[in-house]
């Protein structure tokens, strides 16, 4: 299972050693893929050293830096065949505000859109022409249950952007399915990472599973969707939340 050996894979947002992006990259390396990782700061080079893979610093909100990233990966490893879009939610060194919908400034709203939908759009746009021309591609977009399934007071900008990722996922699946390219989204719920707050961990404990999820559990789902075996799965939204969105009464 998870046939990714020899495939060139790019994982964005992999700078945190306890995060979902790093867990996905680690799984791809273990599966024999030729892996590139990226983040906005030099710490990505330490992650690459841990994994024994290629790294490149890029701000994916900037289309020119995205183009430079894809050139660098192709020069080092070959054309990108697997793209995992994990970048989003937060960016190192930048604060993310919370507000009800009417309280967003244009600048704060644009910041959320840039981080959570534009990063994914820029990377998909860079990857798709080559994937379609070669007749093979796997795109896995890491969205969230927040937006497509549920929402949280004060998170309307984030929820809107994550819901937009699922719409883009379906569009890519429809438009490029005949070219051997699949595009799917993974929607994590309460996943415990090094940045999880105490409130988020407690929320995870109130899921039917009785605990938060782990980055490795999200990575396992992403790896399947990135594999050759997942050739007939496209446009899917895979919820990874311990059953949390099933229950009306959450304690």
């Amino acid at each position: 299972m998870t046939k990714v050996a020899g495939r060139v894979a790019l994982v964005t947002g992999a700078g945190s050693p306890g995060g979902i992006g790093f867990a996905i990259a680690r799984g791809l390396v273990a599966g024999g893929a030729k892996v590139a990782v990226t983040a906005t700061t030099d710490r990505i080079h330490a992650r690459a050293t841990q994994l024994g893979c290629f790294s490149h610093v890029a701000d994916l909100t900037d289309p020119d830096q995205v183009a430079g990233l894809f050139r660098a990966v192709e020069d080092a490893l070959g054309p990108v065949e697997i793209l995992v879009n994990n970048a989003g939610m937060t960016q190192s060194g930048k604060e993310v505000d919370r507000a009800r919908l009417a309280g967003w400034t244009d600048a704060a709203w644009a910041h959320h859109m840039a981080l959570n939908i534009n990063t994914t759009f820029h990377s998909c746009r860079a990857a798709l022409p080559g994937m379609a021309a070669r007749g093979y591609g796997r795109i896995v977009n890491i969205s969230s249950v927040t937006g497509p399934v549920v929402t949280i007071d004060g998170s309307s900008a984030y929820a809107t952007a994550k819901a937009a990722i699922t719409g883009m996922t379906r569009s890519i699946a429809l438009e490029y399915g005949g070219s051997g390219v699949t595009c799917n989204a993974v929607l994590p719920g309460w996943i415990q990472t090094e940045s999880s707050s105490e409130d988020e961990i407690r929320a995870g404990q109130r899921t039917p599973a009785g605990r938060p999820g782990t980055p490795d559990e999200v990575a396992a789902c992403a790896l399947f969707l990135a594999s050759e075996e997942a050739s007939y799965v496209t446009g899917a939204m895979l919820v990874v939340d311990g059953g949390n969105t099933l229950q009306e009464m959450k304690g």
Side-chain angles (χ1 to χ4, degrees), residues 1-4 7 9 24 28 81-85 131 136-143 169 173 180-188 217-240:
M1 214 261 285
T2 62
K3 291 181 182 175
V4 296
R7 298 289 187 184
I24 294 170
L28 286 165
E81 298 168 288
I82 298 169
L83 171 63
V84 181
N85 288 304
M131 288 180 173
Y136 185 89
R138 298 285 184 268
I139 297 176
V140 182
N141 294 324
I142 308 301
S143 178
T169 297
V181 178
T182 68
C183 185
N184 295 284
V186 176
L187 282 56
E217 289 173 317
V218 180
C221 297
L223 253 66
F224 168 67
L225 295 173
S227 72
E228 294 176 14
E229 293 97 326
S231 55
Y232 206 58
V233 182
T234 194
M237 310 294 134
L238 180 52
V239 173
V240 187

Side-chain angles (χ1 to χ4, degrees), residues 24 44 49 65 74 129 136 145 179 185 188 220 229-230 246:
I24 294 170
I44 195 62
T49 298
Q65 291 193 42
E74 182 162 359
Y136 185 89
V145 293
S179 300
E229 293 97 326
L246 299 175

Side-chain angles (χ1 to χ4, degrees), residues 16 18-20 89-90 189-205 211-215:
S16 172
I20 290 171
M89 189 172 182
T90 60
W190 296 116
I191 307 300
Q192 186 169 351
T193 68
E194 56 196 7
S195 64
S196 295
S197 68
E198 291 183 6
D199 285 344
E200 290 169 337
I201 293 170
R202 280 194 295 270
Q205 292 167 345
R211 61 174 178 82
T214 68

Side-chain angles (χ1 to χ4, degrees), residues 6-234:
R7 298 289 187 184
V8 176
L10 170 61
V11 182
T12 72
S16 172
I20 290 171
F22 184 72
I24 294 170
R26 184 170 57 224
L28 286 165
V29 169
K34 296 184 285 186
V35 177
V37 291
T38 187
T40 55
T41 69
D42 285 342
R43 68 176 181 167
I44 195 62
H45 300 314
R47 303 291 82 76
T49 298
Q50 287 177 266
L51 296 175
C53 70
F54 178 77
S55 58
H56 186 86
V57 175
D59 180 347
L60 305 184
T61 66
D62 180 349
D64 290 337
Q65 291 193 42
V66 173
L69 166 66
F70 275 76
R71 285 195 300 269
V73 173
E74 182 162 359
D75 288 346
L77 304 176
V80 173
E81 298 168 288
I82 298 169
L83 171 63
V84 181
N85 288 304
N86 179 68
M89 189 172 182
T90 60
Q91 189 178 80
S92 184
K94 294 186 179 180
E95 294 295 325
V96 177
D97 298 326
R98 294 174 61 85
R100 291 189 173 184
L101 189 77
W104 291 113
T105 65
D106 289 345
W109 182 266
H111 176 65
H112 274 279
M113 296 304 116
L115 283 185
N116 291 295
I117 182 63
N118 291 357
T119 52
T120 299
F121 164 66
H122 292 153
S123 295
C124 288
R125 183 176 61 179
L128 280 165
M131 288 180 173
R134 293 185 299 272
Y136 185 89
R138 298 285 184 268
I139 297 176
V140 182
N141 294 324
I142 308 301
S143 178
S144 174
V145 293
T146 305
V149 185
V150 293
T151 193
I152 301 173
D153 184 28
S155 296
S156 53
Y158 174 80
T160 299
K162 289 301 187 183
I165 288 176
T166 62
M168 183 166 62
T169 297
R170 292 184 178 98
S171 295
I172 292 170
L174 178 65
E175 293 172 355
Y176 290 87
S179 300
V181 178
T182 68
C183 185
N184 295 284
V186 176
L187 282 56
W190 296 116
I191 307 300
Q192 186 169 351
T193 68
E194 56 196 7
S195 64
S196 295
S197 68
E198 291 183 6
D199 285 344
E200 290 169 337
I201 293 170
R202 280 194 295 270
Q205 292 167 345
R206 292 194 291 269
T207 66
R211 61 174 178 82
T214 68
D216 284 335
E217 289 173 317
V218 180
C221 297
L223 253 66
F224 168 67
L225 295 173
S227 72
E228 294 176 14
E229 293 97 326
S231 55
Y232 206 58
V233 182
T234 194

